[in-house]
Structure formats: C-alpha cells, structure tokens
Amino acid sequence: MRTQQLFDVNCLSCPNRNCSLLNCCDDNWVSFINDNKTVLHCKKGHHIINEETPVNGIYFILSGKVKVYKTGLGNKKQIIRLARNGDIVGHRGINRKFWPISATAIEDSFICFISNENFEKVVMSNPKLGYQMVLFFSDELFRSEEIVKNLSSLMVREKVAYALMKISESYPVFGNKIQEILLSRQDIAELAGTTKEQVSKHLNEFVKENIISFEGKRILVNNFKQLEIIANFHSTR
Amino acid sequence: MRTQQLFDVNCLSCPNRNCSLLNCCDDNWVSFINDNKTVLHCKKGHHIINEETPVNGIYFILSGKVKVYKTGLGNKKQIIRLARNGDIVGHRGINRKFWPISATAIEDSFICFISNENFEKVVMSNPKLGYQMVLFFSDELFRSEEIVKNLSSLMVREKVAYALMKISESYPVFGNKIQEILLSRQDIAELAGTTKEQVSKHLNEFVKENIISFEGKRILVNNFKQLEIIANFHSTR
DNA sequence: CGGGTCCTTGAGCCGGTTCAATGGTAGTGG
DNA sequence: CCACTACCATTGAACCGGCTCAAGGACCCG
C-alpha cells in the first residue's frame, strides 16, 4: 500500500531532498535526522499545530498541503501561509514557549516532525543551515509584511485577487497560465481577510470578466496577469 | 559640542554595546565594525530608507527613534515597527535587491551604517551572531503576524489601543505605569491601520474614560492594563 | 500679524458585514 | 435506488462602522 511506503521514507532518498533543511546538511546529519524524525499521516482537516499550546518541535511537509493561520478576536481566522511539500512549518515556534499560530492539513498530508532539541543540534552543527534559516526567515518576514500592506490598503476585490494569486502559487501549473484552485470560499475569505459572501460575489465577478472560470469545485485561472494587476502586484527582489 | 562627540563614537565603548550586533562579536570584530561603520545624523523627518531603492547595507540606531513602514495602494502607509536606540533597521534588506520598506526618523537620531559586504563578513565569522539573527528574525516575524491578526480582527477602537501600547513600548516609562507618547495623529493612524480622524475621536474617548490624558502635545497613559484589555492583548511566550 | 500645520468635530456616504432564504451536492443509511 | 441530512455556494436586503469631506479652532514659527 502506497501510504505505508511513505511512512518508511528515508531522508537520504527523500523526494524533497533539496528542501531547506536537508539541502544544507551533510549525509551524516541527514542520517541523524532520519533516525530522529517521526512521520505523521494527517487527513484533510487534521489539526497539526494549535495556537497557545507548548512548542515541541518543528515540522516539514513530505507531501500534501497545510494552511497556517492565526485566530483573532471573535474567533476570526486569518490564514498567513499556504505550505506545501518541501516547506517548513513551525519555524514560528523557534524562541517561543507557545505556538503563535495554528496549522491544519487542507489535503491528506505526510508530515515529518523533529523535536526541538534535535533540530537545535542540527542547526548548531551545520553553519550553512543557520545562514539559510536567516534567509528563509527574512523571506517569511517579507511575505508577512506584504500581507500587512495588503490588508491595510486593498479593497475586497483586490484582496480576493491577491488571495487567488497566493493560492495558485501552492498549486501546480497545468498548461499555459492555467492554475487550479480547490479551497472552500471560507478558506479563501480567511486568506484574503474578508467574508465568504464577499469571496463568492467577487469570484463570480471574475468569472464574468473571464479572468477565472469554474470547473466543478475547481477554479481555473485564465488570466494570471490580470489578477496581478487587480491585486496591485509587482514583483521586486 | 555634543553631536560632534557622537559622530566619533567608538563601537568598543558604544552605549548600545549590548545590542544584537556587538553583543555577539569578540573585540576584534567590534574593532572591525568600528573601522567600517559610518555614523549618520538624521534630523526628524529625514528619510533613511526608501522603498524600491537598492539595498546597500544595514543600519543600527545609536540614538533616537525611527518608524519603519510600507506604502500600499493609494499611497496609504502602514507603520510596521517603531525602532529605538540599540535596534537594527534594515535587516529586511537581507537577501533582497530592493528595499521592501521605508524608514524615517521621528526624532533627531544618530544611525550607524554598515555595508552589505562587511556585515556579511561579520555574520559569517561570528556563528553566535548568526544564531542570534535567527532568533531576532523569529521575533520580528511574530510581531508582524500579530499586526496581521490585529488588522484583520480588531475594531478601530481596539486598534488605536493596540497602537498606543506599541508606541509606549518605544518610550521610556516615567513613574508608575505612566508612559508618554509624542507622535502625530497621522502617525498613530498609520500604525493602527486607520485614519487620523478616527484616532482623534478614539483618543478623546479614552481621555473621557480616564485611560489616557493629554499634557500639551503629549499623551500620558494612566491605565496601561485597561489598554491591554481593550486591545485584546495577552502576553504569551 | 499672517500663514502653515495639526487637531477636533460633525455630516453624509459607501463598502463590507451580517443575516436570511434558496438551491445545489455529496455522503449516509434504509 | 431513493430519501434524508449536512454542508457549501449563491444572492439579495438591510444595517452599520469607518472613511471622506469640510469647517472651525489651536498652536507654532517666521
């Protein structure tokens, strides 16, 4: 059975071998990670991290997708990241006693877990990894502050466009400029920072404008460029 | 003249010797920093960093205060950080070609500057500093995501209370639970994520409720605890 | 004294949220 | 195979919080 095989995956032959962690460690340390990791099978909807609970370690997505979010006043949720295979989840726990975020699987996923102590050992022994972590955090900070900027300056229509862009980043591209999106209206709303009703209305607007189209429960992006324009997006690095 | 003396400040006897950078380097490297730094005198309102311009290096605040902000659609500004003496400014440029943020002095300030190349040398040669940078970034990410949460879930009254809390963190405490705040309504609005008119209205509300009081252009916080409650703040670490 | 900047306050408008009704779809169990 | 249920998406109506605009006032500085 395929899922059983995944449980036994060896880090040395990990499909995400070029991920942030493994990429910066020599084989000895990859073996160490392999011996000290746990692989979790998370079904869609499974809570991997719960806000305010004690930080125990760090997670890496072997396969699947995970939403990372914060719960605000009135139980309002704001998704701050969509993570996929190869991504780190839980680096926000570094230097904290309690989780500042929650994480939930939005697809059936396999997640690798490493305890705090073991991860610290790996980082301390692989200077290149430490530097890589700085770069990674710098990038995460950038993304977070883009969200801040957008939440405070965009109209809902623009926020929804931005959310679609973010989502399609996490999904594979099929053909030319066609991405597929499979998330509930509620999820999109929590990512965009609005309500599910607004998402529904604006998505249907976008369909009328031929920017996206529906295919069953899927959303196909027909005109990615136009989404970027609406979302006021311009890539600078 | 006092300001002249500050221009000649030696890193080895820096009043912020316990700041993130110097704290993690041995004396040889502090000397290196001393020889390769530039000290800038920035008057109130001086732009230290401008969004979208090329990243040249990293800044440290010797004395004074700086606001760090992003400019969104319609020229709407969102302050994401108030930095003071000892703080790093410009770490957001790491791993980027162009500045994702702007920084402006909100008081007369002295700022130390180190070029990209020299800073990289220092980081690469002081592993402890690298680790410290990871912790620092982790903390910055946490703060940024708190802003995200608040922007998306708080009402304006609550946002203004949160802004006051943030501001008073950057200002010295006088006596028991009394902080003083000296920023324009516009600045407070850009920090809270609202308009100057709303800030004015809610500040006057807070005065009526005896949570703060005005003293000339200053704001005194009489009841910090109450501000925390309004802002839905609870410290967890 | 005059001009500029900032703060305050009220009126009106508007975008977005909330609420509710409806219909579609998938999953479940008889 | 069909009913039953639960969940999700859609749509419109109404409400409301916050923004915009404008007028007036306080204060500072040249």
Side-chain angles (χ1 to χ4, degrees):
Chain A
M1 187 187 163
R2 175 127 186 83
T3 54
Q4 259 331 343
Q5 285 183 346
L6 277 167
F7 270 100
D8 297 336
V9 75
N10 187 311
C11 293
L12 288 160
S13 59
C14 177
N16 303 319
R17 184 64 201 270
N18 61 348
C19 81
S20 342
L21 177 64
L22 300 176
N23 194 31
C24 298
C25 304
D26 62 40
D27 281 3
N28 285 335
W29 280 105
V30 174
S31 286
F32 173 83
I33 295 167
N34 187 50
D35 296 341
N36 289 282
K37 73 167 192 309
T38 317
V39 182
L40 314 166
H41 181 196
C42 303
K43 300 211 172 211
K44 183 175 176 174
H46 181 91
H47 296 303
I48 301 161
I49 299 176
N50 292 302
E51 266 156 286
E52 315 279 325
T53 61
V55 173
N56 42 1
I58 192 164
Y59 299 82
F60 296 81
I61 304 179
L62 179 55
S63 68
K65 295 193 202 328
V66 171
K67 63 176 174 182
V68 179
Y69 58 93
K70 279 181 94 85
T71 309
L73 204 56
N75 209 32
K76 189 171 194 312
K77 293 175 179 16
Q78 175 69 45
I79 296 177
I80 52 181
R81 183 161 177 245
L82 291 176
R84 58 170 175 167
N85 50 313
D87 284 341
I88 306 182
V89 176
H91 50 287
R92 287 164 179 81
I94 292 176
N95 207 24
R96 312 221 122 247
K97 282 207 174 59
F98 302 99
W99 288 113
I101 49 97
S102 299
T104 301
I106 53 178
E107 283 181 6
D108 283 18
S109 305
F110 286 89
I111 317 276
C112 301
F113 171 80
I114 301 170
S115 72
N116 273 332
E117 311 90 74
N118 286 327
F119 183 65
E120 199 168 316
K121 272 185 205 161
V122 177
V123 175
M124 287 306 188
S125 312
N126 294 273
K128 200 178 153 197
L129 177 58
Y131 185 66
Q132 208 58 40
M133 290 292 290
V134 172
L135 300 189
F136 172 65
F137 265 108
S138 173
D139 209 50
E140 282 283 282
L141 185 58
F142 173 77
R143 287 170 197 276
S144 174
E145 292 177 346
E146 284 291 301
I147 298 176
V148 168
K149 184 184 77 178
N150 288 337
L151 281 177
S152 82
S153 74
L154 298 188
M155 307 253 94
V156 166
R157 172 183 162 91
E158 299 155 355
K159 287 180 182 176
V160 173
Y162 186 76
L164 292 181
M165 284 180 49
K166 288 274 108 183
I167 294 167
S168 51
E169 275 178 16
S170 295
Y171 283 79
V173 179
F174 290 126
N176 189 23
K177 292 181 184 170
I178 304 284
Q179 280 86 14
E180 87 172 319
I181 291 168
L182 182 47
L183 276 180
S184 75
R185 301 293 185 260
Q186 183 64 41
D187 281 331
I188 300 176
E190 287 169 9
L191 181 57
T194 180
T195 60
K196 57 186 189 308
E197 292 90 345
Q198 289 291 332
V199 169
S200 183
K201 282 165 191 171
H202 287 286
L203 286 185
N204 283 299
E205 282 293 316
F206 290 156
V207 170
K208 278 177 199 153
E209 298 170 35
N210 207 26
I211 298 167
I212 62 173
S213 52
F214 295 153
E215 195 185 274
K217 275 192 150 337
R218 286 184 167 74
I219 299 172
L220 302 183
V221 178
N222 306 321
N223 192 340
F224 198 79
K225 207 77 196 154
Q226 188 61 24
L227 271 189
E228 289 189 345
I229 293 170
I230 296 172
N232 189 39
F233 180 83
H234 42 205
S235 72
T236 50
R237 265 223 140 234
Chain B
M1 188 186 161
R2 174 125 185 84
T3 55
Q4 259 331 344
Q5 285 183 348
L6 277 167
F7 269 99
D8 297 335
V9 75
N10 187 311
C11 294
L12 289 160
S13 58
C14 177
N16 304 317
R17 186 62 201 270
N18 62 346
C19 82
S20 341
L21 177 64
L22 300 176
N23 194 30
C24 298
C25 305
D26 61 40
D27 281 2
N28 285 335
W29 280 104
V30 174
S31 286
F32 174 83
I33 295 168
N34 186 50
D35 297 340
N36 289 281
K37 73 169 192 307
T38 317
V39 182
L40 313 167
H41 182 194
C42 303
K43 299 211 173 212
K44 183 175 177 175
H46 182 92
H47 297 302
I48 302 161
I49 299 175
N50 291 302
E51 265 155 287
E52 314 280 327
T53 60
V55 173
N56 42 1
I58 192 163
Y59 299 82
F60 295 82
I61 304 179
L62 179 55
S63 68
K65 294 194 200 332
V66 171
K67 63 176 174 183
V68 178
Y69 58 93
K70 279 181 93 84
T71 309
L73 204 56
N75 209 32
K76 190 172 192 312
K77 292 175 180 15
Q78 174 71 44
I79 297 177
I80 52 183
R81 183 161 177 248
L82 291 176
R84 57 169 176 166
N85 49 314
D87 285 342
I88 306 181
V89 175
H91 50 287
R92 286 163 178 82
I94 293 176
N95 207 24
R96 312 221 122 247
K97 282 207 175 59
F98 302 99
W99 288 112
I101 49 98
S102 299
T104 301
I106 53 178
E107 283 181 8
D108 282 19
S109 305
F110 286 89
I111 317 277
C112 301
F113 172 80
I114 301 170
S115 74
N116 274 330
E117 311 91 74
N118 286 327
F119 183 65
E120 200 169 312
K121 272 184 207 164
V122 178
V123 175
M124 288 306 189
S125 312
N126 294 273
K128 200 178 153 196
L129 178 58
Y131 184 67
Q132 208 58 39
M133 291 292 291
V134 171
L135 300 189
F136 173 65
F137 266 109
S138 174
D139 208 50
E140 282 283 283
L141 185 58
F142 173 77
R143 287 170 197 276
S144 174
E145 291 177 348
E146 283 290 301
I147 298 176
V148 168
K149 185 185 76 179
N150 289 336
L151 281 178
S152 83
S153 75
L154 298 189
M155 308 252 93
V156 167
R157 172 183 162 90
E158 299 155 355
K159 287 179 182 176
V160 174
Y162 187 76
L164 292 181
M165 283 179 51
K166 288 275 109 183
I167 295 168
S168 51
E169 274 178 15
S170 295
Y171 282 79
V173 178
F174 290 127
N176 188 25
K177 290 179 184 170
I178 304 286
Q179 281 86 13
E180 88 173 317
I181 291 168
L182 182 48
L183 276 180
S184 74
R185 302 294 185 261
Q186 184 64 40
D187 281 331
I188 299 175
E190 287 169 10
L191 182 57
T194 180
T195 60
K196 59 186 187 309
E197 293 90 344
Q198 290 290 329
V199 169
S200 183
K201 282 165 191 172
H202 287 286
L203 286 184
N204 283 298
E205 283 292 317
F206 290 155
V207 170
K208 277 177 200 155
E209 298 170 35
N210 206 25
I211 296 167
I212 62 172
S213 51
F214 295 154
E215 194 185 274
K217 274 190 154 335
R218 286 184 167 74
I219 300 172
L220 301 184
V221 178
N222 306 319
N223 192 339
F224 198 79
K225 210 74 198 158
Q226 188 61 24
L227 271 189
E228 288 189 348
I229 293 170
I230 296 173
N232 190 38
F233 180 84
H234 42 207
S235 73
T236 50
R237 264 222 142 231

